[in-house]
Amino acid sequence: NGSLTTRLFGMYATRKSNGPKLRHVLTPSINFSYRPDFSTNQTIVSDSGQTATFSPYELGVFGRPSVGKSGTVGVTLVNSLELKKRSTKDTITGFVKIPIIENFQINGNYDLVRDSLNLSNIQFSARNTFFKVLSINYSSTLDPYHYVNGKITRDYYWNKGKGFGRITNNNLALNYTFKAKSRKKKEEPKNLTEDEQEDLNNIKKNSNAYIDYDVPFSLTATYNLNFNRVYVGTLDTVLITQGIGLSGDVSVTKKLKLGVNSNYDFVAKKV
């Protein structure tokens, strides 16, 4: 397998020299993966005439090898958009960055080896944070194939004049976090490498995934809405679930926290 990636930068400025600017970063990547057919299945016939297949390696440590060959080409597009405007608070660059879209991603792949249904589902995802306390995550799945009576066909959805594809999944997650001020004043580390700076940014964006013992207490409220479109027999069915959650923790000692977590399902109407 192999991959190729790059970054493209675009800046959209107003006519005023000191006016705000929009900065767009596009990160496209292409990857290729090839897997030969390592099938070792053997067919046996019982005394009653029934046939079955087995692999002599399926009881081994690594199990049976993969069946069938594949050669996929994958494409991923990652976008981010931020606003840069002048600020007197920043004495180093004189600008402050306001993220508009932290991450918007599209990806899919095409199998060159398969004789049909070569194109995979198209995945979309987006993430953004507002006021450092409210985060929004969205994901969606697009099926490019046309279905007849609940069965997939080789025809693409757009060839039937019904649009680009069939949305089979939508998920929206909202998280609001309130944290008390840290007991210690933390300074930003200096002279970081590009990878270290990226890791630090990820920690800031996903602070709920890390435990900070210097914060006396924290409280997080979540809301999740999920939409699934599936075929039940020949019936095109939409399944919707949604729920809210509440979690928090409080510091008992410098290295001990007590936490609580609770969720309510609106569809099942129970905790």
Side-chain angles (χ1 to χ4, degrees):
N1 54 50
S3 62
L4 179 67
T5 185
T6 186
R7 279 189 176 184
L8 303 175
F9 298 87
M11 189 72 73
Y12 312 94
T14 59
R15 294 182 179 180
K16 297 181 179 180
S17 59
N18 295 330
K21 300 177 181 179
L22 280 176
R23 183 173 182 262
H24 177 215
V25 181
L26 172 63
T27 308
S29 63
I30 301 176
N31 63 80
F32 174 76
S33 176
Y34 175 75
R35 184 193 67 198
D37 186 5
F38 290 108
S39 176
T40 57
N41 290 346
Q42 300 178 13
T43 302
I44 58 174
V45 181
S46 65
D47 296 337
S48 61
Q50 295 181 342
T51 61
T53 60
F54 80 101
S55 171
Y57 300 104
E58 62 185 24
L59 297 179
V61 177
F62 301 103
R64 68 165 63 193
S66 57
V67 178
K69 62 180 180 179
S70 69
T72 59
V73 177
V75 177
T76 302
L77 300 175
V78 181
N79 294 268
S80 65
L81 186 67
E82 65 182 13
L83 177 68
K84 294 180 65 177
K85 68 175 186 177
R86 287 197 171 275
S87 173
T88 57
K89 296 181 179 179
D90 193 319
T91 58
I92 299 177
T93 64
F95 285 90
V96 61
K97 298 179 181 179
I98 303 175
I100 299 176
I101 300 176
E102 292 181 356
N103 183 284
F104 174 62
Q105 183 170 311
I106 306 172
N107 65 76
N109 62 71
Y110 189 89
D111 196 327
L112 301 172
V113 177
R114 298 184 63 173
D115 59 352
S116 63
L117 306 179
N118 307 76
L119 184 62
S120 71
N121 289 342
I122 310 299
Q123 306 288 339
F124 300 87
S125 63
R127 182 188 71 243
N128 207 2
T129 304
F130 298 94
F131 311 110
K132 298 182 180 181
V133 293
L134 177 63
S135 63
I136 300 177
N137 290 273
Y138 172 78
S139 63
S140 181
T141 302
L142 189 73
D143 190 339
Y145 292 101
H146 178 64
Y147 286 73
V148 176
N149 295 326
K151 295 182 178 180
I152 191 171
T153 68
R154 297 185 179 186
D155 297 324
Y156 289 118
Y157 205 80
W158 52 81
N159 289 338
K160 297 298 181 178
K162 296 183 178 181
F164 187 72
R166 175 175 171 269
I167 295 178
T168 59
N169 176 265
N170 272 319
N171 181 265
L172 176 66
L174 307 178
N175 291 271
Y176 179 84
T177 302
F178 174 78
K179 290 185 177 182
K181 291 184 179 180
S182 176
R183 296 190 183 97
K184 297 180 181 179
K185 185 178 181 180
K186 299 181 180 180
E187 297 182 356
E188 288 284 341
K190 300 178 180 179
N191 302 323
L192 296 178
T193 64
E194 185 176 348
D195 291 338
E196 291 173 339
Q197 185 62 51
E198 186 175 351
D199 290 340
L200 181 60
N201 293 336
N202 288 332
I203 292 175
K204 291 179 178 179
K205 293 176 182 178
N206 303 280
S207 58
N208 293 334
Y210 301 88
I211 298 177
D212 190 347
Y213 290 99
D214 294 326
V215 176
F217 68 91
S218 65
L219 185 65
T220 301
T222 62
Y223 172 76
N224 191 282
L225 176 63
N226 193 65
F227 160 96
N228 278 299
R229 188 177 178 185
V230 297
Y231 277 101
V232 180
T234 60
L235 184 63
D236 192 359
T237 307
V238 175
L239 304 175
I240 298 177
T241 59
Q242 60 176 329
I244 58 173
L246 191 65
S247 62
D249 60 66
V250 59
S251 296
V252 180
T253 66
K254 291 183 178 181
K255 295 297 179 181
L256 177 63
K257 278 180 174 286
L258 293 180
V260 62
N261 181 56
S262 180
N263 295 278
Y264 180 78
D265 191 322
F266 285 105
V267 176
K269 296 182 179 180
K270 64 180 182 179
V271 178

